[in-house]
Each structure stands twice: as C-alpha cells, then as structure tokens.
Amino acid sequence: MTSEKTTPTSITDHSGLAEQLLRVYENFADEFSRRDVPVHLSNVTREGKYLKGKKLGQHPERFIEQYLIWPTLELLDYKFWAQPYGFPKWDKTRPDFAIKNFNCGVECTVIGEVKTPNKFEYGKEQMEDYLKSDLGEATVGITTDGVRWKIEVRPKKSSEILEVVEVDFHDVVRKLPSRHEERESYPSHRTRQEMEMVESLKRETVETDVSKALLYLGP
C-alpha cells in the first residue's frame, strides 16, 4: 500500500462554494413544491413570468429575500442589514439592504437593491438613481433578482460608475424545475460545474476589485 498523494480535480479545488450555492437554489426550487406550485417555478425560470404573491402566499420580494438573497449573501460572507435605517435616503426611499463588513480601502457605503426574477432591469435603473443622487461618499451598489448579480462602484464626489462584476445564473436556474418533473433528469453535478463563477462574488474578492476600481477612478 503506497502513501502517494493524489492530485485533486478542478471540481474539488473550486466547487465548494458552488456546491453550497447550488443547495441554496435547490432549496428555493423545492419551496415551490412544498407550497404546491411547482409549475409556477417553471413559468418563472423558463418562460420569463413574474413571481405571483397569490400563488406563493407571500409577497414575492420577501420570498426571494428569504430563499435566495439572504442565504446567498451569508454564503458569500456578507453581513447584511435589511431595510437599513439611518442610511441616506434617495427620494424618500431606502435601499433593500446594506453591507456592514465591507472594506473598500476608503470610507464607503455598500447598498443593495432586490428585485424578483425577470425584473432585474428595474433594479439596475433604481441602483443607478441611488448612485447618482448622493455623491458625498464612495458607494458600492449590489443589484440582484436572485438570478443575476451586478456590483458597481462610484467614487466620492464623482458621477462615474464602474462595473465591478456581473454574474448571471439563468442557465442554472432554468434547470431547477427538472427536480420536480416526472421523467426528467436533473444534472446536479454538471449544474454545479456551471456555478463556479460564484467565486467572483465572494466578499474578499469583490473588496479587492472595488479597491482597484476606486484607485483607478481616483478621488
């Protein structure tokens, strides 16, 4: 018997976070089945329909936060504050969440906007309004509908906005209804491989990228 060490595969090296995120998405999909509306999941993920609170028995945005956004932020090591009180208010509104453990390299605010799946573009527009309306401090904006994630940064006293990272898990999410469809196979292993881009959303990775962007844009 030898003591020769084997070389881990690329999946072993990189899929830990992806596998955990896949569990989050699978639990999200399973919740539709637990609520007896699995067809609604297919309509949302494959047909581009909007989430319906009447079908879910819960406000759609709260549902997305509970089953996708908050678990994903925790997984990525973000300490979030929902509906943050005392933050600058834009047009008498407030962000859906703020991040409390983010290091930009300078004083900064990190805010987030949540939309339901297939309404991401509305979130992008609202985040742009936030970023352009209060220029007193460097601000990082996180926009997500649970499927797409976009992170941008705007430096202090500047109207220039720079994209830091954008990730789209649509190709993964559209496979989820197969978990509850007869005669359909759900390729869990292959789906996990398609999620390795989640590494670019980790807090420490984004902190580094934001710091570089702020250095590039200047004060």
Side-chain angles (χ1 to χ4, degrees):
M1 186 172 183
T2 67
S3 60
E4 182 181 358
K5 295 183 179 179
T6 59
T7 301
T9 65
S10 59
I11 291 297
T12 301
D13 286 340
H14 302 294
S15 68
L17 191 61
E19 184 168 359
Q20 292 177 70
L21 182 59
L22 181 57
R23 299 288 89 77
V24 171
Y25 278 111
E26 289 174 343
N27 183 61
F28 166 73
D30 293 349
E31 186 61 25
F32 284 81
S33 183
R34 288 190 286 265
R35 299 187 186 205
D36 296 322
V37 288
V39 174
H40 191 41
L41 173 65
S42 181
N43 291 337
V44 171
T45 60
R46 294 175 176 172
E47 305 297 330
K49 304 295 185 182
Y50 296 151
L51 278 180
K52 301 295 184 181
K54 186 175 181 179
K55 292 182 180 292
L56 295 170
Q58 184 178 5
H59 188 283
E61 197 165 291
R62 301 292 83 79
F63 179 81
I64 286 295
E65 288 175 344
Q66 181 178 351
Y67 290 99
L68 275 187
I69 309 304
W70 302 155
T72 301
L73 287 174
E74 290 177 351
L75 179 63
L76 296 171
D77 196 32
Y78 293 97
K79 292 182 180 179
F80 64 90
W81 178 11
Q83 299 294 317
Y85 177 78
F87 270 67
K89 296 178 177 59
W90 296 266
D91 298 326
K92 298 182 180 179
T93 65
R94 66 178 62 177
D96 289 316
F97 64 89
I99 300 299
K100 301 186 288 184
N101 65 331
F102 195 94
N103 181 8
C104 295
V106 297
E107 289 294 323
C108 71
T109 296
V110 184
I111 58 174
E113 180 64 22
V114 175
K115 294 298 179 188
T116 54
N118 305 314
K119 291 188 176 182
F120 181 80
E121 296 300 326
Y122 296 108
K124 275 178 41 177
E125 293 174 4
Q126 190 162 0
M127 179 56 70
E128 184 173 333
D129 289 342
Y130 286 164
L131 294 177
K132 289 184 175 180
S133 63
D134 188 342
L135 307 180
E137 188 173 47
T139 304
V140 178
I142 304 174
T143 306
T144 183
D145 64 354
V147 180
R148 294 171 64 183
W149 291 76
K150 184 173 184 176
I151 302 178
E152 303 166 285
V153 60
R154 179 198 45 74
K156 181 178 180 180
K157 297 181 180 179
S158 171
S159 60
E160 186 172 4
I161 300 171
L162 188 66
E163 179 179 312
V164 177
V165 61
E166 182 167 1
V167 172
D168 189 343
F169 293 110
H170 178 263
D171 288 343
V172 171
V173 171
R174 67 185 307 274
K175 295 182 175 70
L176 294 176
S178 298
R179 290 171 59 81
H180 304 288
E181 293 173 341
E182 293 184 8
R183 299 183 299 278
E184 290 288 340
S185 61
Y186 172 66
S188 177
H189 179 74
R190 188 167 70 249
T191 302
R192 183 184 65 184
Q193 289 178 287
E194 295 173 359
M195 300 187 76
E196 292 186 8
M197 54 191 170
V198 67
E199 299 286 339
S200 65
L201 294 174
K202 288 194 304 185
R203 178 180 57 82
E204 290 185 356
T205 300
V206 176
E207 284 178 338
T208 298
D209 292 342
V210 164
S211 296
K212 290 179 181 177
L214 288 172
L215 181 64
Y216 168 75
L217 289 175

